Amino acid sequence: MSAKKNFPNENAAVVQHPDYSNEIAAIARSNLTPRLMREKIGDYHENDIADALELLKKDERMRLYSILDTDMLSDILEYSDRRDEWLSELGIRKRVEVLNRFEVTTAVEYLRQLDKKQRSVLIDLMEDGVKKEIAFSSAFDEDEIGSKMTTNYIAIGAGLNVRQAMKELVDQAADNDNISTIYVLDEDKVLVGAIDLKDLIVARENTELDSIIMTSYPYVYAEEQIEDCIERLQDYSEDSIPVLDENNKLKGILTAQDVGQMIHDVLGDDYAKLAGLSAEEDLEEPLRKSIGKRLPWLLVLLGLGLVVSSVVGIFEKVVAHLALIVCFQSLVLDMAGNVGTQSLAVTIRVLMDEQVSKKQKLYLISKEARVGLCNGLILGVLSFLFIGLYLYLLKGQVVIMAFSISACTGIALLVAMLLSSIVGTTVPMLFKQLGVDPAVASGPLITTINDLVAVVTYYGLAWVLIINVLQM
């Protein structure tokens, strides 16, 4: 459906995007007849209509639901971020009609978050063909490629000519709108290759299909883990990717939109895992579930934090003798944590590629160590100068004391940043080798290890240099 056109004056200095949502809301609130209202709203894109639903009151939305036909309403709701909320406002029959027209993956996603009784009622009322597709898609775990694929695609048999292929395309296009890529199958439904719609259109009528079939075409298997092949999918810019079963038969496709959503979900999940969470949270998640995700790691970190605190206690004499040294502890700890997190993020990104060799991993450790050393050297020297001057000029410390403390801080920064870079790289690799998700296990653990390294380095230097060597 095309969006409503509103071309700006070519002499206008500033072009503002029209506020379609408010226009649509005004139409929905008007006293137009149902037919005229449907026609006027139909001039807008479904995404704009979905945005307009948020501006309407419930009774206004209910009126709109009854006016729009089922096909239009299903298209609108698939664009909405509050799809589940709007679906709950529909009666059972209307909701089933809308779900029948959803992409199967969207319908399955909605049904999975319902309780068993609600889900059974809705599925029982659905069309038989949709039931089968939902049952097939639901057979896959949420982390498997098969749970994200759609059966909305065009497939033709091998051995046809262009004229016959075009007839097949026209016949199937009424029920399937993903037509930019046509998949070619043999008599056993095994994937032979793919044809770009443009190549089919420009080919001569009696051209054999074999001459325009792309046989080296990317594909994935339905039972593959999404996280294992997402890196591979990002390398292709195809409109769709075929999904095969274990016998290489075509079972469905991933659209470009599906792939984009999977990338978003995986990155969001990994981002949450870096904070020690088991999955990305949202505003609707129950309090108990959020607590359950965070508490286990917090308990582990509490234990590790007690270890760090006990190590600080070992240097109690240093703190008692030289209280000023405590002022710069957080500086060293924070910088060590920042460097470790940077190295962790780089390493997790690299480990997403299952084909990374041992040589490449060793090179990554070496590179991160060199980066940490260089950055530590620069920041260590700057800390030595600025902290020394600060203590001497503003705090009235004698020169040797001021620059002894700043030397401890600078050297501790250098050592802590070097070791933090190495730890932030090697720990996730170790977890990966042990079969533990490095994103989940590494983040909180690395932070605590880096704190321990930084504390021992900082107070150890102060004890050796200031108390034992300089005897101050």
Side-chain angles (χ1 to χ4, degrees):
M1 186 177 293
S2 59
K4 185 176 179 180
K5 304 296 189 297
N6 190 351
F7 295 103
N9 187 308
E10 60 184 28
N11 296 320
V14 179
V15 178
Q16 290 186 337
H17 185 74
D19 188 356
Y20 292 139
S21 298
N22 278 306
E23 290 179 16
I24 296 166
I27 294 172
R29 295 183 181 116
S30 68
N31 292 320
L32 293 172
T33 62
R35 180 179 176 180
L36 187 56
M37 183 180 293
R38 182 168 59 248
E39 289 176 356
K40 280 186 171 293
I41 289 179
D43 288 335
Y44 294 86
H45 193 280
E46 292 88 345
N47 187 51
D48 295 317
I49 304 172
D51 290 339
L53 291 178
E54 301 190 25
L55 304 178
L56 301 175
K57 297 177 181 177
K58 183 177 179 179
D59 61 319
E60 294 169 339
R61 287 195 299 272
M62 296 295 287
R63 181 188 178 205
L64 196 58
Y65 298 152
S66 62
I67 289 172
L68 299 175
D69 62 59
T70 306
D71 287 332
M72 186 186 297
L73 183 56
S74 64
D75 289 340
I76 293 166
L77 293 181
E78 283 202 270
Y79 274 100
S80 177
D81 293 332
R82 299 172 66 180
R83 178 191 64 222
D84 295 354
E85 185 179 342
W86 304 150
L87 277 171
S88 67
E89 295 179 345
L90 301 177
I92 292 292
R93 293 288 176 184
K94 188 80 169 182
R95 199 184 319 174
V96 169
E97 290 175 7
V98 170
L99 289 172
N100 279 330
R101 287 158 178 78
F102 270 179
E103 288 286 347
V104 173
T105 51
T106 306
V108 170
E109 183 182 330
Y110 171 72
L111 291 168
R112 273 182 172 152
Q113 54 88 35
L114 299 177
D115 61 52
K116 188 175 180 180
K117 184 178 179 180
Q118 285 181 301
R119 186 164 57 245
S120 297
V121 170
L122 291 174
I123 292 176
D124 286 344
L125 294 172
M126 287 181 176
E127 297 170 1
D128 290 340
V130 177
K131 283 183 187 178
K132 291 179 181 178
E133 291 186 18
I134 286 176
F136 178 73
S137 182
S138 299
F140 297 97
D141 291 337
E142 291 184 64
D143 294 332
E144 291 180 331
I145 286 290
S147 68
K148 305 299 181 184
M149 69 183 181
T150 177
T151 54
N152 185 333
Y153 61 88
I154 304 292
I156 62 175
L160 303 180
N161 59 35
V162 169
R163 184 176 184 178
Q164 293 169 323
M166 284 297 296
K167 184 179 183 304
E168 281 285 327
L169 172 62
V170 172
D171 290 343
Q172 295 182 44
D175 299 319
N176 303 286
D177 51 18
N178 291 317
I179 64 172
S180 57
T181 302
I182 300 101
Y183 294 100
V184 183
L185 312 178
D186 68 12
E187 61 275 6
D188 296 321
K189 306 299 182 185
V190 173
L191 181 67
V192 174
I195 300 174
D196 189 282
L197 177 61
K198 179 182 176 183
D199 293 337
L200 183 61
I201 291 172
V202 301
R204 293 183 178 276
E205 185 175 319
N206 295 315
T207 303
E208 292 297 327
L209 282 187
D210 289 348
S211 63
I212 58 173
I213 294 176
M214 296 177 283
T215 54
S216 297
Y217 198 81
Y219 60 89
V220 290
Y221 288 101
E223 294 185 351
E224 280 191 88
Q225 294 291 309
I226 293 172
E227 194 161 331
D228 291 342
C229 60
I230 199 71
E231 185 81 12
R232 203 162 73 245
L233 292 174
Q234 289 183 84
D235 294 336
Y236 299 100
S237 58
E238 304 296 342
D239 291 319
S240 60
I241 303 289
V243 181
L244 313 180
D245 65 10
E246 66 277 6
N247 297 314
N248 296 312
K249 295 181 179 181
L250 183 64
K251 306 306 292 184
I253 65 168
L254 297 174
T255 65
Q257 184 178 0
D258 294 330
V259 174
Q261 185 61 47
M262 286 191 297
I263 293 171
H264 175 271
D265 292 343
V266 168
L267 292 177
D269 191 44
D270 283 345
Y271 177 79
K273 287 174 179 178
L274 288 176
L277 307 179
S278 57
E280 191 173 14
E281 296 184 16
D282 56 46
L283 291 174
E284 305 300 324
E285 187 171 72
L287 178 63
R288 181 178 294 180
K289 191 173 181 181
S290 294
I291 293 172
K293 286 179 181 179
R294 303 184 191 190
L295 188 58
W297 268 113
L298 292 176
L299 291 172
V300 173
L301 294 178
L302 176 62
L304 293 174
L306 291 173
V307 173
V308 175
S309 298
S310 65
V311 171
V312 175
I314 296 173
F315 296 100
E316 184 179 350
K317 292 182 179 179
V318 177
V319 177
H321 187 75
L322 193 63
L324 190 60
I325 200 78
V326 178
C327 297
F328 305 103
Q329 172 186 309
S330 60
L331 172 66
V332 179
L333 265 61
D334 289 347
M335 291 307 298
N338 292 338
V339 170
T341 301
Q342 289 175 341
S343 295
L344 171 63
V346 172
T347 306
I348 294 295
R349 179 72 176 81
V350 170
L351 291 178
M352 287 179 67
D353 184 359
E354 298 292 331
Q355 307 302 317
V356 177
S357 65
K358 289 183 179 179
K359 185 177 180 181
Q360 289 173 313
K361 290 178 181 178
L362 290 173
Y363 173 76
L364 178 62
I365 295 172
S366 171
K367 178 187 174 184
E368 288 300 310
R370 282 180 278 133
V371 170
L373 177 63
C374 292
N375 285 337
L377 186 60
I378 294 169
L379 295 178
V381 170
L382 291 174
S383 298
F384 170 71
L385 293 174
F386 289 128
I387 292 175
L389 291 172
Y390 167 76
L391 293 175
Y392 173 64
L393 297 175
L394 299 180
K395 291 297 181 179
Q397 297 290 329
V398 296
V399 173
I400 190 168
M401 173 61 80
F403 283 94
S404 294
I405 294 175
S406 69
C408 289
T409 308
I411 297 171
L413 267 179
L414 171 60
V415 174
M417 290 177 70
L418 170 61
L419 295 180
S420 294
S421 297
I422 297 172
V423 169
T425 310
T426 55
V427 169
M429 288 185 181
L430 176 62
F431 279 125
K432 182 75 171 179
Q433 197 69 29
L434 295 174
V436 179
D437 190 338
V440 173
S442 300
L445 180 61
I446 285 175
T447 300
T448 309
I449 291 175
N450 288 342
D451 285 348
L452 187 60
V453 169
V455 164
V456 171
T457 304
Y458 184 49
Y459 285 110
L461 281 170
W463 180 70
V464 171
L465 180 61
I466 300 177
I467 296 180
N468 290 326
V469 175
L470 298 177
Q471 295 184 346
M472 300 181 70

